[in-house]
Amino acid sequence: MDKIVSLCKRRGFLFQSSEIYGGLNGFWDYGPLGVELKRNVKDAWWRDMVTGHDETLVPNGAPQAFNMVGLDCTIIMHPQVWKCSGHYDLFHDFMVDCRECKGRFRADHIKSLDCPLKPSKRPGEHDKCQLTDPREFNLMFKTFVGALAGEEGAAFLRPETAQGIFVNFKNVCDTQRVRVPFGICQVGKSFRNEITPRNFTFRSREFEQMELEFFCHPSESPAWYKYWRDRRYAWYLKHGLKSEKLILREHDKDELSHYSCGTADVEYAFPFCEAGEYGELEGIAHRGDFDLRSHMEGKLVKDEAGNLVVEKNAEGKPRHPGSGKDLTYFDDQTRERFVPHVIEPSAGADRATLAFLCEAYHEDKQPDENGTMQERTVMKFHPKFAPVKAAVFPLVKKNGMPEFALDVYRDLKAAGIATVFDQQAAIGKRYRRQDEIGTPYCITVDGQTLEDKTVTIRDRDSLEQWRVPAAKLVEEVSTRLKG
Ligand code: GAP
């Protein structure tokens, strides 16, 4: 993991936020290469879920047409949203403080955290340690809307993008030609005041989510749950995560969130995980009708029989009243009115990006131009994710090679292929620079180019080299990137 963190800094994938002031724990900036990588991950998700989604896929035997649409909601929403969703009352972790070293730890992480006292031990293991009892800590960041910083202006930064989708359910139904089953997708920032942010970007305080809320008939919801669980697991495999490091884990009943009647996680064996352990990339949850009903009727709780009922205050009124708006769905073909059930695949864009970074990292030994074996660090990204797709090199800085290479570079850029031009240092060094950032194809303009107008393409992974006419280069690189 240390090697990956160091490469990310050295080559401009990720920087600590506000680094020149010493950084801010739990916040990360994406550098010039990182921003492209993460954008490619988010674009691949959006294409798969929204723009390129095949609307007649088969969930349960019979083909069904369904729509997938997008939204981009605000980060700060009406405070009542979080009261009805349950986040205001329930979105907390337990924290433990040490009166001696002033360390603050998440109670359920204590067995894997280090105490600031030396020699390094787990919190509570030093004789001097004085741990407090666990206390509840709400993870939502609070802010104030308007000039007055009073409680009436208090608001929260969203801890998930999902609620923006639920509160717009009616707007989407009223304005789009969607029929249940259909999905609404959103990609955007979420904020959680994590007690112990750690493991690089894995647990941050500001991060991005890629969420789908899929609305379906209650009777079809178990089939859709399986459909989305399997489809999302397959997405990570398709984009290069290896099956021996990727698991799909069904939650036990006692692990389920307050709203969920079934959840599976896609988990990846990150380098910082202990042997046999995994880190969560995405949760796929069957949320039932919890969210739409909460925003209609008021915050729901389970009664003794396990049914969801509106929580009441001492006067018998809803503790957190809902919007009172009708969020039911009327099926004009079956003439049935119902509250749709929801399947929610909720992925972290930063965690996915980190997993693809970890998976890509390889070290090997390759001969340089003199045949001497050289250590090589190579990022074997899926070509779709590679921040730079092609690099163009003139072999030497004379004989018209730089001019020819610049034309080649401009052709690739004009075709929308992220390309760099590099004429500094020996060719072997230039190859290694590109390998280290995961550029799939390096193109060299050499003496033969000037005679027959062909260039050499080198493949990052196989190291195979072959010649193509410069006039056919864009087509060749595009086809290979797509393939
Ligand atoms: N709407 C459901 C929801 O938010 P979640 O399991 O709390 O569910 C979904 O979050 C995903 O968001 C996680 O699987 C993870 O990828 C990402 N995520 C959650 N907390 C995160 C954090 N502190 N830092 C980075 N990513 C996080």
Side-chain angles (χ1 to χ4, degrees):
M1 198 64 214
D2 288 346
K3 285 181 175 176
I4 294 167
V5 173
S6 142
L7 182 141
C8 283
K9 166 92 207 274
R10 189 170 70 249
R11 297 309 309 269
F13 282 93
L14 277 152
F15 307 123
Q16 223 187 342
S17 163
S18 327
E19 193 185 285
I20 59 168
Y21 289 102
L24 189 60
N25 197 10
F27 296 90
W28 297 93
D29 292 339
Y30 284 80
L33 293 182
V35 70
E36 297 298 337
L37 172 65
K38 185 169 157 191
R39 189 190 301 271
N40 291 340
V41 171
K42 290 187 289 180
D43 284 353
W45 185 91
W46 193 262
R47 253 195 321 275
D48 191 57
M49 303 295 264
V50 187
T51 45
H53 198 277
D54 178 351
E55 293 182 19
T56 53
L57 286 170
V58 184
N60 194 18
Q64 275 202 54
F66 60 94
N67 280 105
M68 298 285 284
V69 298
L71 274 184
D72 184 10
C73 308
T74 58
I75 284 167
I76 296 176
M77 300 168 70
H78 195 292
Q80 199 65 14
V81 169
W82 308 111
K83 294 190 172 158
C84 290
S85 69
H87 287 83
Y88 185 81
D89 291 336
L90 299 169
F91 195 56
H92 50 237
D93 280 334
F94 285 90
M95 67 179 175
V96 168
D97 290 314
C98 178
R99 292 193 189 94
E100 175 64 26
C101 71
K102 310 291 175 225
R104 174 159 286 176
F105 316 101
R106 207 172 117 173
D108 59 338
H109 286 174
I110 225 155
K111 290 201 168 62
S112 59
L113 293 172
D114 290 327
C115 167
L117 296 179
K118 297 284 172 257
S120 185
K121 288 190 181 179
R122 300 287 179 231
E125 289 182 355
H126 280 280
D127 292 343
K128 287 197 259 175
C129 288
Q130 286 187 51
L131 298 185
T132 61
D133 288 335
R135 283 180 298 145
E136 271 181 20
F137 173 76
N138 194 297
L139 299 184
M140 285 198 293
F141 279 98
K142 198 172 187 179
T143 186
F144 298 93
V145 175
L148 297 174
E151 269 314 297
E152 65 281 16
F156 301 94
L157 306 193
R158 67 180 176 198
E160 62 170 24
T161 62
Q163 297 304 322
I165 298 179
F166 295 124
V167 301
N168 275 293
F169 172 76
K170 190 168 157 44
N171 281 337
V172 172
C173 285
D174 290 350
T175 60
Q176 308 297 302
R177 299 187 62 238
V178 288
R179 292 182 52 82
V180 166
F182 73 92
I184 308 180
C185 296
Q186 175 160 217
V187 175
K189 290 262 176 161
S190 292
F191 300 81
R192 296 184 189 178
N193 202 356
E194 298 282 355
I195 298 167
T196 38
R198 59 184 181 149
N199 292 330
F200 206 18
T201 56
F202 182 83
R203 191 171 302 287
S204 315
R205 287 177 164 143
E206 175 174 343
F207 54 96
E208 269 186 283
Q209 291 185 309
M210 309 186 286
E211 297 200 283
L212 158 67
E213 307 304 324
F214 191 77
F215 301 92
C216 57
H217 191 279
S219 66
E220 292 188 342
S221 61
W224 283 113
Y225 168 66
K226 290 200 188 78
Y227 167 82
W228 282 111
R229 186 195 61 187
D230 297 345
R231 188 183 160 110
R232 290 301 305 145
Y233 178 71
W235 186 83
Y236 292 96
L237 286 179
K238 184 174 134 193
H239 289 93
L241 297 191
K242 299 226 172 40
S243 57
E244 66 268 21
K245 289 196 190 159
L246 195 71
I247 59 164
L248 186 60
R249 189 179 66 82
E250 283 284 348
H251 281 209
D252 294 333
K253 273 260 173 296
D254 59 355
E255 269 185 279
L256 296 178
S257 318
H258 58 284
Y259 51 75
S260 182
C261 47
T263 298
D265 284 344
V266 180
E267 298 181 345
Y268 177 71
F270 284 96
F272 53 74
C273 296
E274 303 280 340
E277 292 192 348
Y278 298 83
E280 178 188 324
L281 288 179
E282 170 161 353
I284 300 99
H286 185 309
R287 293 175 74 123
D289 58 6
F290 177 86
D291 302 276
L292 290 179
R293 273 188 60 202
S294 299
H295 288 303
M296 217 170 12
E297 302 167 19
K299 189 200 154 201
L300 300 173
V301 285
K302 275 198 176 154
D303 68 9
E304 279 166 13
N307 299 316
L308 285 173
V309 291
V310 176
E311 189 181 9
K312 299 278 171 55
N313 60 19
E315 288 112 58
K317 301 215 170 101
R319 194 166 111 73
H320 295 308
S323 65
K325 298 284 183 299
D326 182 6
L327 303 181
T328 59
Y329 175 79
F330 180 68
D331 188 325
D332 51 12
Q333 284 172 5
T334 61
R335 316 299 297 165
E336 187 188 359
R337 183 171 288 286
F338 58 93
V339 182
H341 276 202
V342 169
I343 311 301
E344 178 198 64
S346 171
D350 306 84
R351 286 196 188 170
T353 303
L354 184 60
F356 290 120
L357 269 165
C358 294
E359 188 75 38
Y361 187 92
H362 285 80
E363 289 173 354
D364 62 16
K365 282 200 170 129
Q366 297 297 339
D368 66 10
E369 54 273 35
N370 307 315
T372 315
M373 295 305 271
Q374 297 280 356
E375 300 261 340
R376 176 174 90 132
T377 301
V378 53
M379 297 298 280
K380 295 190 176 178
F381 290 122
H382 188 293
K384 209 189 262 181
F385 292 158
V388 177
K389 312 287 187 213
V392 179
F393 311 147
L395 185 63
V396 290
K397 278 197 256 180
K398 57 184 181 187
N399 304 337
M401 288 185 212
E403 292 76 6
F404 197 101
L406 267 177
D407 283 344
V408 167
Y409 160 79
R410 288 191 183 120
D411 286 348
L412 288 162
K413 292 273 273 193
I417 298 169
T419 308
V420 296
F421 177 81
D422 187 2
Q423 56 179 359
Q424 301 301 332
I427 196 82
K429 197 160 183 194
R430 281 183 265 171
Y431 281 145
R432 282 195 293 284
R433 270 206 286 261
Q434 294 306 318
D435 288 343
E436 209 186 28
I437 62 165
T439 307
Y441 300 108
C442 289
I443 292 123
T444 307
V445 168
D446 54 17
Q448 194 179 325
T449 310
L450 307 178
E451 288 164 21
D452 65 6
K453 307 258 182 300
T454 62
V455 294
T456 306
I457 307 186
R458 170 197 180 260
D459 182 281
R460 175 196 70 197
D461 300 340
S462 67
L463 299 178
E464 195 192 331
Q465 299 201 16
W466 67 100
R467 296 197 80 89
V468 294
K472 290 250 161 90
L473 181 69
V474 167
E475 191 187 325
E476 169 94 9
V477 174
S478 309
T479 310
R480 284 177 178 270
L481 288 172
K482 277 191 204 122

